[in-house]
Amino acid sequence: MKAARVITEKLGSLRVRTALVLGSGLGELVHAVDGAVRIPYREIPGFPEGGVSGHSGELVAGMLYGVPVLILSGRVHYYERGDADAMRPVLEALRQVGIERLILTNAAGSLRSNVSPASVMLIEDHINWSGLNPLIGESSDARFVSMTEAYDAKLRSVLDQAANEIGVPLAKGVYMWFSGPSFETPAEIRMAQMLGADAVGMSTVPEVILARFFGMRVAACSVITNLGAGMTGAELSHQETKDVAPLGGKRLSMIIKKAFEIGFDQA
Ligand code: HPA
């Protein structure tokens, strides 16, 4: 409750119902926030401090394209400390301050050669390949969270409509969570393709599970920064993720802007 109190105090009269989590190299969106109130994670009790380059670790509140939002610039990943529930205090605080809709973004590798770097993919479903779950240890029956409609159909449809209206291609597919931090091997990428995944990444899935546990509706988009390991001759690197993400991030910002204009906040 302490975290929620700190955030609520800083929000003043701003009533936020929508939050966004920005992935690696996607921090640009905070610059579009009007009247930004910035709260470093270290000032919020219980909030984790991330250590990944490309993540600044602050919460930014304000108006984004006419909608009051909370933006989480920076997340912690399982691979930082081995805690699958590292983001639990964050998602719990979001719910307590009144967030109902959550847009998660990430950088990901594409498993489809026709969905190339700098593309945006709307996540329709996921495969949790890690074997981990942020709700392990939770004792209430609420831990048996239904994941049938994890990625909200209405929110997805507004994002899809927005992309169509502005003519930005939006791929759709299944995101597969690998723990990281090493990238996948080419054999793992071939396996992921066989199992029905369209993109691979090291985040988002535990947050989706937690968001559903706390009763928030979720939409998620991947910005494709590379093709999966072994699909081209190239080695993968975090530098490439950071370099390419902003290109796709521009497209994603345009989609989110249009989605907000056509009523994402009412969907
Ligand atoms: N694999 C996992 N995570 C990623 C990748 C990838 O290829 N690209 C960006 N994040």
Side-chain angles (χ1 to χ4, degrees):
M1 278 316 267
K2 269 197 201 148
R5 213 173 303 131
V6 168
I7 298 166
T8 308
E9 267 169 27
K10 297 260 189 183
L11 288 180
S13 59
L14 195 71
R15 256 184 100 245
V16 283
R17 294 287 171 264
T18 300
L20 282 113
V21 176
L22 303 183
S24 296
L26 299 172
E28 270 303 298
L29 212 59
V30 294
H31 300 303
V33 175
D34 283 329
V37 176
R38 312 175 91 97
I39 322 173
Y41 286 178
R42 77 183 113 77
E43 291 179 15
I44 311 175
F47 267 43
E49 286 192 57
V52 177
S53 57
H55 293 271
S56 66
E58 63 176 357
L59 195 150
V60 180
M63 298 297 288
L64 179 66
Y65 312 131
V67 173
V69 290
L70 278 186
I71 297 188
L72 292 140
S73 180
R75 54 155 61 94
V76 281
H77 301 81
Y78 170 73
Y79 59 70
E80 284 164 66
R81 288 171 178 275
D83 301 330
D85 62 352
M87 287 290 280
R88 181 173 174 140
V90 177
L91 289 151
E92 187 163 21
L94 291 184
R95 181 72 244 200
Q96 287 168 346
V97 301
I99 297 300
E100 294 163 356
R101 293 174 199 77
L102 183 64
I103 305 179
L104 296 155
T105 67
N106 61 47
S110 173
L111 302 186
R112 286 197 255 144
S113 41
N114 61 340
V115 179
S116 47
S119 308
V120 182
M121 186 187 95
L122 181 66
I123 301 180
E124 294 186 314
D125 203 348
H126 74 223
I127 298 172
N128 181 355
W129 185 250
S130 70
L132 303 160
N133 196 296
L135 296 176
I136 290 173
E138 168 66 35
S139 53
S140 70
D141 275 358
R143 66 188 159 183
F144 301 109
V145 178
S146 168
M147 296 297 288
T148 311
E149 263 276 343
Y151 299 84
D152 189 272
K154 268 199 194 139
L155 300 182
R156 279 192 279 139
S157 119
V158 177
L159 289 165
D160 193 27
Q161 189 192 334
N164 274 330
E165 285 190 19
I166 58 174
V168 170
L170 183 62
K172 297 182 192 78
V174 173
Y175 175 91
M176 191 165 191
W177 179 32
F178 282 82
S179 77
S182 53
F183 284 107
E184 301 73 30
T185 63
E188 286 163 349
I189 291 298
R190 289 193 299 274
M191 172 202 72
Q193 287 168 327
M194 279 192 276
L195 293 181
D198 301 290
V200 289
M202 307 177 193
S203 68
T204 305
V205 166
E207 294 147 43
V208 172
I209 295 169
L210 287 164
R212 297 302 299 142
F213 174 70
F214 288 118
M216 289 177 272
R217 290 163 63 211
V218 173
C221 289
S222 291
V223 165
I224 300 301
T225 55
N226 56 279
L227 293 179
M231 292 175 68
T232 69
E235 291 284 346
L236 308 190
S237 72
H238 188 55
Q239 191 57 46
E240 177 181 48
T241 301
K242 287 193 289 184
D243 290 344
V244 179
L247 307 176
K250 287 213 171 63
R251 292 184 174 153
L252 179 57
S253 302
M254 289 161 65
I255 295 170
I256 290 174
K257 181 169 195 247
K258 190 69 187 178
F260 280 13
E261 285 166 9
I262 62 180
F264 184 87
D265 216 31
Q266 317 301 322

Short mmCIF file of all heavy atoms in Angstrom, two decimals, residues 160-190:
data_model
loop_
_atom_site.label_atom_id
_atom_site.label_comp_id
_atom_site.label_asym_id
_atom_site.label_seq_id
_atom_site.Cartn_x
_atom_site.Cartn_y
_atom_site.Cartn_z
N ASP A 160 -5.31 -2.82 -33.51
CA ASP A 160 -5.33 -3.28 -34.89
C ASP A 160 -5.98 -2.24 -35.81
O ASP A 160 -5.46 -1.90 -36.87
CB ASP A 160 -6.09 -4.61 -34.95
CG ASP A 160 -5.90 -5.32 -36.26
OD1 ASP A 160 -4.84 -5.11 -36.90
OD2 ASP A 160 -6.80 -6.08 -36.67
N GLN A 161 -7.12 -1.72 -35.35
CA GLN A 161 -7.82 -0.70 -36.12
C GLN A 161 -6.95 0.55 -36.29
O GLN A 161 -6.87 1.14 -37.37
CB GLN A 161 -9.12 -0.34 -35.39
CG GLN A 161 -10.05 0.56 -36.18
CD GLN A 161 -11.17 1.13 -35.30
OE1 GLN A 161 -11.55 0.51 -34.29
NE2 GLN A 161 -11.69 2.29 -35.67
N ALA A 162 -6.26 0.92 -35.21
CA ALA A 162 -5.39 2.11 -35.25
C ALA A 162 -4.29 1.92 -36.30
O ALA A 162 -4.04 2.80 -37.12
CB ALA A 162 -4.78 2.35 -33.88
N ALA A 163 -3.65 0.75 -36.29
CA ALA A 163 -2.57 0.48 -37.25
C ALA A 163 -3.10 0.53 -38.68
O ALA A 163 -2.47 1.12 -39.57
CB ALA A 163 -1.94 -0.88 -36.95
N ASN A 164 -4.29 -0.05 -38.89
CA ASN A 164 -4.92 -0.03 -40.21
C ASN A 164 -5.17 1.38 -40.68
O ASN A 164 -4.90 1.73 -41.82
CB ASN A 164 -6.27 -0.76 -40.18
CG ASN A 164 -6.10 -2.23 -40.40
OD1 ASN A 164 -5.18 -2.64 -41.09
ND2 ASN A 164 -6.96 -3.03 -39.80
N GLU A 165 -5.72 2.21 -39.77
CA GLU A 165 -6.09 3.57 -40.16
C GLU A 165 -4.90 4.41 -40.56
O GLU A 165 -5.00 5.27 -41.42
CB GLU A 165 -6.89 4.25 -39.03
CG GLU A 165 -8.31 3.71 -38.96
CD GLU A 165 -9.22 4.49 -38.02
OE1 GLU A 165 -8.91 5.64 -37.68
OE2 GLU A 165 -10.25 3.91 -37.62
N ILE A 166 -3.75 4.18 -39.93
CA ILE A 166 -2.57 4.99 -40.29
C ILE A 166 -1.66 4.26 -41.28
O ILE A 166 -0.62 4.79 -41.67
CB ILE A 166 -1.76 5.44 -39.05
CG1 ILE A 166 -1.29 4.23 -38.23
CG2 ILE A 166 -2.58 6.39 -38.17
CD1 ILE A 166 -0.37 4.60 -37.08
N GLY A 167 -2.05 3.06 -41.67
CA GLY A 167 -1.29 2.34 -42.70
C GLY A 167 0.06 1.83 -42.22
O GLY A 167 0.99 1.66 -43.01
N VAL A 168 0.18 1.57 -40.91
CA VAL A 168 1.42 0.95 -40.40
C VAL A 168 1.18 -0.56 -40.29
O VAL A 168 0.22 -0.98 -39.63
CB VAL A 168 1.80 1.54 -39.02
CG1 VAL A 168 2.94 0.75 -38.38
CG2 VAL A 168 2.20 3.00 -39.14
N PRO A 169 2.00 -1.37 -40.95
CA PRO A 169 1.78 -2.82 -40.86
C PRO A 169 1.92 -3.31 -39.42
O PRO A 169 2.82 -2.88 -38.71
CB PRO A 169 2.90 -3.41 -41.72
CG PRO A 169 3.50 -2.27 -42.48
CD PRO A 169 3.19 -1.01 -41.73
N LEU A 170 1.00 -4.15 -39.00
CA LEU A 170 1.04 -4.71 -37.65
C LEU A 170 0.95 -6.23 -37.76
O LEU A 170 -0.09 -6.77 -38.12
CB LEU A 170 -0.13 -4.15 -36.82
CG LEU A 170 -0.21 -4.57 -35.35
CD1 LEU A 170 1.00 -4.11 -34.56
CD2 LEU A 170 -1.49 -4.03 -34.70
N ALA A 171 2.08 -6.89 -37.47
CA ALA A 171 2.07 -8.36 -37.48
C ALA A 171 1.32 -8.82 -36.24
O ALA A 171 1.11 -8.05 -35.30
CB ALA A 171 3.50 -8.88 -37.47
N LYS A 172 0.88 -10.08 -36.25
CA LYS A 172 0.19 -10.61 -35.07
C LYS A 172 0.74 -11.99 -34.78
O LYS A 172 0.99 -12.75 -35.73
CB LYS A 172 -1.32 -10.70 -35.31
CG LYS A 172 -1.92 -9.34 -35.55
CD LYS A 172 -3.41 -9.39 -35.74
CE LYS A 172 -3.90 -8.06 -36.25
NZ LYS A 172 -3.65 -7.86 -37.70
N GLY A 173 0.92 -12.32 -33.52
CA GLY A 173 1.44 -13.65 -33.27
C GLY A 173 1.65 -14.00 -31.82
O GLY A 173 1.22 -13.30 -30.91
N VAL A 174 2.32 -15.12 -31.66
CA VAL A 174 2.55 -15.72 -30.34
C VAL A 174 3.98 -15.41 -29.89
O VAL A 174 4.94 -15.60 -30.64
CB VAL A 174 2.34 -17.26 -30.41
CG1 VAL A 174 2.75 -17.94 -29.12
CG2 VAL A 174 0.89 -17.58 -30.77
N TYR A 175 4.09 -14.92 -28.66
CA TYR A 175 5.38 -14.55 -28.06
C TYR A 175 5.81 -15.67 -27.12
O TYR A 175 5.04 -16.13 -26.30
CB TYR A 175 5.19 -13.25 -27.29
CG TYR A 175 6.38 -12.73 -26.50
CD1 TYR A 175 7.30 -11.86 -27.07
CD2 TYR A 175 6.56 -13.08 -25.15
CE1 TYR A 175 8.37 -11.34 -26.33
CE2 TYR A 175 7.63 -12.57 -24.41
CZ TYR A 175 8.53 -11.71 -25.01
OH TYR A 175 9.57 -11.19 -24.27
N MET A 176 7.05 -16.11 -27.25
CA MET A 176 7.54 -17.18 -26.40
C MET A 176 8.59 -16.63 -25.45
O MET A 176 9.54 -15.99 -25.88
CB MET A 176 8.14 -18.28 -27.27
CG MET A 176 8.46 -19.56 -26.56
SD MET A 176 8.72 -20.82 -27.85
CE MET A 176 8.76 -22.29 -26.90
N TRP A 177 8.37 -16.90 -24.15
CA TRP A 177 9.29 -16.36 -23.13
C TRP A 177 10.43 -17.33 -22.84
O TRP A 177 10.19 -18.46 -22.39
CB TRP A 177 8.53 -16.09 -21.82
CG TRP A 177 9.39 -15.57 -20.70
CD1 TRP A 177 10.50 -14.78 -20.82
CD2 TRP A 177 9.22 -15.80 -19.30
NE1 TRP A 177 11.02 -14.49 -19.57
CE2 TRP A 177 10.26 -15.09 -18.62
CE3 TRP A 177 8.29 -16.50 -18.53
CZ2 TRP A 177 10.39 -15.10 -17.23
CZ3 TRP A 177 8.41 -16.50 -17.15
CH2 TRP A 177 9.45 -15.81 -16.51
N PHE A 178 11.65 -16.89 -23.13
CA PHE A 178 12.87 -17.57 -22.69
C PHE A 178 13.44 -16.76 -21.54
O PHE A 178 13.35 -15.53 -21.53
CB PHE A 178 13.89 -17.63 -23.83
CG PHE A 178 13.61 -18.68 -24.86
CD1 PHE A 178 12.70 -18.46 -25.88
CD2 PHE A 178 14.26 -19.91 -24.82
CE1 PHE A 178 12.44 -19.43 -26.84
CE2 PHE A 178 14.01 -20.89 -25.76
CZ PHE A 178 13.10 -20.65 -26.78
N SER A 179 14.05 -17.43 -20.58
CA SER A 179 14.53 -16.70 -19.39
C SER A 179 15.63 -15.71 -19.72
O SER A 179 15.75 -14.67 -19.10
CB SER A 179 15.01 -17.67 -18.32
OG SER A 179 16.29 -18.16 -18.65
N GLY A 180 16.48 -15.98 -20.74
CA GLY A 180 17.65 -15.17 -20.93
C GLY A 180 18.60 -15.38 -19.76
O GLY A 180 18.36 -16.21 -18.90
N PRO A 181 19.65 -14.57 -19.59
CA PRO A 181 19.98 -13.46 -20.46
C PRO A 181 20.76 -13.84 -21.73
O PRO A 181 20.91 -13.01 -22.60
CB PRO A 181 20.85 -12.56 -19.56
CG PRO A 181 21.51 -13.52 -18.62
CD PRO A 181 20.50 -14.61 -18.39
N SER A 182 21.25 -15.08 -21.82
CA SER A 182 21.87 -15.42 -23.10
C SER A 182 20.77 -15.49 -24.15
O SER A 182 19.62 -15.80 -23.83
CB SER A 182 22.59 -16.77 -23.01
OG SER A 182 21.72 -17.76 -22.52
N PHE A 183 21.12 -15.19 -25.38
CA PHE A 183 20.15 -15.34 -26.47
C PHE A 183 19.94 -16.84 -26.74
O PHE A 183 20.66 -17.69 -26.22
CB PHE A 183 20.67 -14.65 -27.73
CG PHE A 183 20.54 -13.14 -27.69
CD1 PHE A 183 21.67 -12.34 -27.52
CD2 PHE A 183 19.31 -12.52 -27.82
CE1 PHE A 183 21.56 -10.95 -27.48
CE2 PHE A 183 19.18 -11.13 -27.78
CZ PHE A 183 20.31 -10.35 -27.61
N GLU A 184 18.94 -17.14 -27.55
CA GLU A 184 18.63 -18.53 -27.87
C GLU A 184 19.70 -19.09 -28.82
O GLU A 184 20.39 -18.37 -29.51
CB GLU A 184 17.26 -18.62 -28.56
CG GLU A 184 16.11 -18.11 -27.73
CD GLU A 184 16.07 -16.59 -27.60
OE1 GLU A 184 16.53 -15.89 -28.54
OE2 GLU A 184 15.61 -16.09 -26.56
N THR A 185 19.75 -20.41 -28.88
CA THR A 185 20.59 -21.05 -29.89
C THR A 185 19.75 -21.22 -31.16
O THR A 185 18.51 -21.20 -31.10
CB THR A 185 21.04 -22.45 -29.43
OG1 THR A 185 19.86 -23.27 -29.28
CG2 THR A 185 21.81 -22.39 -28.11
N PRO A 186 20.41 -21.43 -32.29
CA PRO A 186 19.63 -21.71 -33.51
C PRO A 186 18.69 -22.92 -33.35
O PRO A 186 17.57 -22.91 -33.86
CB PRO A 186 20.72 -21.97 -34.56
CG PRO A 186 21.87 -21.11 -34.09
CD PRO A 186 21.84 -21.21 -32.58
N ALA A 187 19.13 -23.93 -32.60
CA ALA A 187 18.26 -25.11 -32.39
C ALA A 187 17.02 -24.72 -31.58
O ALA A 187 15.91 -25.20 -31.85
CB ALA A 187 19.03 -26.23 -31.68
N GLU A 188 17.21 -23.85 -30.58
CA GLU A 188 16.06 -23.40 -29.79
C GLU A 188 15.09 -22.57 -30.64
O GLU A 188 13.87 -22.65 -30.47
CB GLU A 188 16.54 -22.59 -28.58
CG GLU A 188 17.16 -23.47 -27.50
CD GLU A 188 18.02 -22.71 -26.48
OE1 GLU A 188 18.34 -21.53 -26.68
OE2 GLU A 188 18.39 -23.35 -25.47
N ILE A 189 15.66 -21.81 -31.55
CA ILE A 189 14.80 -21.01 -32.45
C ILE A 189 14.00 -21.94 -33.37
O ILE A 189 12.78 -21.75 -33.55
CB ILE A 189 15.65 -19.99 -33.25
CG1 ILE A 189 16.20 -18.91 -32.31
CG2 ILE A 189 14.86 -19.38 -34.41
CD1 ILE A 189 15.15 -18.06 -31.61
N ARG A 190 14.62 -22.97 -33.88
CA ARG A 190 13.88 -23.92 -34.74
C ARG A 190 12.78 -24.62 -33.93
O ARG A 190 11.67 -24.82 -34.40
CB ARG A 190 14.84 -24.96 -35.36
CG ARG A 190 15.75 -24.37 -36.43
CD ARG A 190 16.46 -25.46 -37.24
NE ARG A 190 17.33 -26.32 -36.41
CZ ARG A 190 18.61 -26.04 -36.11
NH1 ARG A 190 19.18 -24.94 -36.58
NH2 ARG A 190 19.32 -26.87 -35.37
#
